[in-house]
Amino acid sequence: MTSNPKITSFLTFAGNAEDAMNFYVSAFSGKIISITHVPKDGHGDEGKVLHGAFEIFGQQFMAMDMQQEYAVPFSWATSFYIDCATEAEFDLIFETFSDGGSVMMGPEPVLEMRKVAWVTDKYGVTWQPVWK
């Protein structure tokens, strides 16, 4: 991974960015890189995430909380593809993301792929774990 990628996924949450960041890094032994909270009298809801960065699977993500009146839910039309090395890794990812979330497809074989799923996690982010 490039130390300064030109494109980084940026997730905007409706008030639960810090919970989501902690969920992702704890589920996959990732790490919180940085987190800045909205200060008192700052732009946004005090204490919410103004800017956060975290890493899972070597991929950096950025996150923030949007004020409730401007929050827009995530759409399954944008998802994150996860290339799983083993069936055990696939199963762990599927179980983790489907707990409290919703399964849109799978797990099932598709063409030459042994297991494929399409899962929206409890924060509304959609993932596609694939085990070839």
Coordinates of all heavy atoms in Angstrom, one line a residue, residues 1 4-9 59-60:
M1 N 0.8 -1.2 0.0 CA 0.0 0.0 0.0 C 0.9 1.2 0.0 O 1.9 1.3 0.7 CB -0.9 0.0 1.2 CG -1.5 1.3 1.6 SD -3.3 1.5 1.5 CE -3.9 0.6 0.1
N4 N 0.9 7.4 0.9 CA 0.1 8.5 0.6 C -0.8 8.2 -0.6 O -0.5 8.8 -1.7 CB 0.9 9.8 0.4 CG 1.6 10.2 1.7 OD1 1.0 10.3 2.7 ND2 2.9 10.5 1.5
P5 N -1.8 7.4 -0.4 CA -2.7 7.1 -1.6 C -3.4 8.4 -2.1 O -3.7 9.3 -1.3 CB -3.6 6.1 -1.1 CG -3.7 6.3 0.4 CD -2.3 6.8 0.8
K6 N -3.7 8.4 -3.4 CA -4.4 9.6 -4.0 C -5.9 9.5 -3.7 O -6.6 10.5 -3.6 CB -4.2 9.6 -5.5 CG -2.8 10.1 -5.8 CD -2.6 10.3 -7.3 CE -1.3 10.7 -7.7 NZ -1.1 12.2 -7.7
I7 N -6.4 8.3 -3.5 CA -7.8 8.1 -3.2 C -8.0 7.2 -2.0 O -7.4 6.2 -1.8 CB -8.5 7.4 -4.4 CG1 -8.4 8.2 -5.7 CG2 -10.0 7.1 -4.1 CD1 -8.9 7.5 -6.9
T8 N -8.8 7.7 -1.1 CA -9.1 7.0 0.2 C -10.6 7.0 0.4 O -11.3 8.0 0.2 CB -8.4 7.7 1.4 OG1 -7.0 7.7 1.2 CG2 -8.7 7.0 2.7
S9 N -11.2 5.9 0.8 CA -12.6 5.8 1.1 C -12.9 6.7 2.3 O -12.3 6.7 3.3 CB -13.0 4.4 1.4 OG -12.7 3.6 0.3
Q59 N -5.9 -1.2 4.4 CA -6.6 -0.2 3.6 C -7.0 0.9 4.6 O -7.6 0.7 5.6 CB -7.8 -0.7 3.0 CG -8.7 0.3 2.3 CD -8.0 0.9 1.0 OE1 -7.4 0.2 0.3 NE2 -8.1 2.2 0.9
Q60 N -6.6 2.2 4.3 CA -7.0 3.3 5.1 C -8.4 3.8 4.7 O -8.8 3.8 3.6 CB -6.0 4.4 5.0 CG -6.3 5.6 5.9 CD -5.3 6.6 6.0 OE1 -4.1 6.3 5.9 NE2 -5.7 7.9 6.1

